[in-house]
Amino acid sequence: MATIVPPVTQDGTSSRGPTAMVFMNMGGPSTTNEVGDFLSRLFADADLIPLGRLQSYLGPLISRRRTPKIQKQYAAIGGGSPIRKWSEYQSSQMCKILDRISPETAPHKPYVAFRYADPLTEDMYARLLNDGFGKGKGGRAVAFTQYPQYSCSTTGSSLNELWKWRMRLEGKGAHEDGKIMWSVIDRWPVHHGLVEAFAQNVEQQLETYPLERRKDVVLLFSAHSLPMSVVNRGDTYPAEVAATVYAVMQRLGFSNPYRLCWQSQVGPSAWLGAQTSDTVGEYVKKGQTDLILIPIAFTSDHIETLYELDQEVIHEAGHPGVKRAESLNGSPVFIEALADVAFTHLRSGESCSRQMSLRCQGCKSEKCLEQKKFFVGQSNFLALR
């Protein structure tokens, strides 16, 4: 059930509040009936799944063909994705902490904007306007990506969508016209709280192995793969995922051997590998049957963890030593980390990271260029606060 956010006013008691905290993510269908629409939006997004000039034809065709199969997968994990539940919980809990540690920007109001499922970006934006932001009243909003590692296919796509609806619903004028003032938390791959939350979940799973076998358990960090066409364009995602993995292993004292692998490849084109399923299969064949899968690029459970890893990869491995670390979900350590990331951003006065202003080497997208110009340019208005 959706979290009800009370309307806000721009004359609160804090000096710079209220502040809208918008969690951005891919999203997932809450019921099996929503799978078709979810897939249609997903395969229509050339930022995520580039299909070339035939995108408008191939996207709907692929989504229609895949819908029955994917509906069965969501039915197998309880009838829908839990990502909305966890996103709303995480954002609301984070805002409670922010109200306490950052009273000058309070109250902090939680919103969720999904790219391919309800609540969609345009619906979130309409709620912001209805809740008293914008429409001549101004107000501050922070787009907080829930992809810790930046990719043009994920965070970039969500920001393109946010920028599009800002232009459609508020126009192209500046913040002085009473429009919402935006800033972006666009990446946080090695934040100490994120690293600690991942490390604690790994340690908990390691403790389930007999002490004499524990140090030899192989840790397999699994992240969503990318098409090689995106990687070769210069996307920073592989490097940032690797940075997270290294930071977690450093926190663990490099206690175990480890590898990074990639999951969820779609279609026949070349994707970043080695694939998670192949990696597990090959290690089991070699006699290495104590393996922990760690979803390192996801901040909560969804179909990639609950079905792909749990019911496909681990089930097909056929060995009790192949396990998965818990996802971050409601981890108090993780929620404290979210609050710390947000608090640091709010105090920085920056509209986005320096890294976000730099386009990929091979980027030809005018949409990406204009979106970056907009969010980088918001720093001029933040400096006046």
Side-chain angles (χ1 to χ4, degrees), residues 2 25-31 34 37-38 41 81 83-85 87-88 112-124:
N25 210 328
M26 176 184 293
S30 296
T31 68
E34 298 174 16
D37 289 342
F38 170 75
R41 297 184 189 106
S81 173
I83 191 170
R84 181 172 184 173
K85 176 190 76 173
S87 296
E88 290 178 342
V112 172
F114 286 154
R115 185 66 181 84
Y116 312 113
D118 292 332
L120 294 167
T121 304
E122 59 263 41
D123 297 327
M124 176 281 300

Side-chain angles (χ1 to χ4, degrees), residues 42-64:
L42 189 146
F43 282 100
D45 184 7
D47 291 327
L48 180 69
I49 303 177
L51 299 173
R53 290 177 295 174
L54 296 177
Q55 187 101 30
S56 61
Y57 169 75
L58 291 176
L61 179 64
I62 295 170
S63 64
R64 283 196 301 271

Side-chain angles (χ1 to χ4, degrees), residues 369-383:
L369 174 61
E370 293 304 316
Q371 171 255 110
K372 287 181 180 293
K373 284 181 179 178
F374 170 77
F375 287 113
V376 171
Q378 291 287 285
S379 61
N380 296 326
F381 306 114
L382 288 170

Side-chain angles (χ1 to χ4, degrees), residues 48-335:
L48 180 69
I49 303 177
L51 299 173
R53 290 177 295 174
L54 296 177
Q55 187 101 30
S56 61
Y57 169 75
L58 291 176
L61 179 64
I62 295 170
S63 64
R64 283 196 301 271
R65 289 185 174 180
R66 288 180 62 85
T67 293
K69 175 184 176 181
I70 303 302
Q71 283 178 322
K72 291 179 182 178
Q73 293 180 2
Y74 276 104
I77 64 169
S81 173
I83 191 170
R84 181 172 184 173
K85 176 190 76 173
W86 285 122
S87 296
E88 290 178 342
Y89 176 79
Q90 291 165 346
S91 61
S92 64
Q93 295 301 305
M94 178 198 73
C95 284
K96 290 178 183 178
I97 297 172
L98 285 175
D99 285 346
R100 186 180 74 247
I101 65 176
S102 184
E104 66 274 15
T105 53
H108 303 86
K109 298 295 182 179
Y111 295 84
V112 172
F114 286 154
R115 185 66 181 84
Y116 312 113
D118 292 332
L120 294 167
T121 304
E122 59 263 41
D123 297 327
M124 176 281 300
Y125 214 115
R127 283 187 58 208
L128 276 177
L129 297 175
N130 290 335
D131 286 352
F133 292 91
K135 290 185 176 180
K137 301 176 183 177
R140 172 81 185 273
V142 177
F144 191 170
T145 181
Q146 293 306 293
Y147 309 101
Q149 306 91 2
Y150 184 93
S151 171
C152 298
S153 296
T154 53
T155 298
S157 177
S158 289
L159 290 175
N160 285 341
E161 190 75 355
L162 178 60
W163 169 75
K164 179 182 78 175
W165 285 104
R166 196 276 188 184
M167 295 298 134
R168 288 186 181 181
L169 296 177
E170 291 202 89
K172 297 182 179 180
H175 171 67
E176 287 114 333
D177 299 328
K179 295 175 174 60
I180 298 170
M181 179 169 52
W182 284 95
S183 64
V184 180
I185 301 172
D186 51 88
R187 69 198 75 210
W188 37 292
V190 293
H191 184 271
H192 61 87
L194 175 73
V195 170
E196 181 64 27
F198 277 130
Q200 288 188 13
N201 285 354
V202 173
E203 288 173 332
Q204 289 169 10
Q205 192 62 276
L206 278 170
E207 289 175 1
T208 67
Y209 293 86
L211 185 59
E212 66 273 14
R213 288 161 44 195
R214 196 170 298 167
K215 65 181 176 58
D216 296 318
V217 175
V218 174
L219 307 181
L220 294 180
F221 294 88
S222 185
H224 202 295
S225 187
L226 278 183
M228 286 305 298
S229 60
V230 176
V231 176
N232 292 336
R233 194 172 63 209
D235 199 289
T236 62
Y237 176 74
E240 293 191 13
V241 172
T244 307
V245 170
Y246 191 85
V248 172
M249 288 308 305
Q250 196 168 42
R251 156 62 179 77
L252 294 171
F254 297 97
S255 60
N256 293 74
Y258 69 100
R259 286 293 184 274
L260 170 58
C261 45
W262 309 88
Q263 66 179 91
S264 310
Q265 175 177 329
V266 178
S269 62
W271 283 58
L272 184 63
Q275 287 291 305
T276 301
S277 55
D278 295 340
T279 300
V280 171
E282 289 299 325
Y283 276 129
V284 169
K285 284 180 186 177
K286 292 178 171 67
Q288 177 62 56
T289 55
D290 287 344
L291 306 166
I292 296 178
L293 290 161
I294 304 147
I296 197 63
F298 306 118
T299 55
S300 70
D301 274 322
H302 42 83
I303 198 166
E304 284 85 352
T305 58
L306 297 175
Y307 188 84
E308 186 177 351
L309 293 183
D310 291 354
Q311 299 190 33
E312 288 188 331
V313 175
I314 292 176
H315 176 74
E316 289 170 10
H319 197 283
V322 181
K323 305 178 183 182
R324 176 172 71 86
E326 287 293 320
S327 298
L328 299 177
N329 293 337
S331 161
V333 174
F334 175 62
I335 291 170

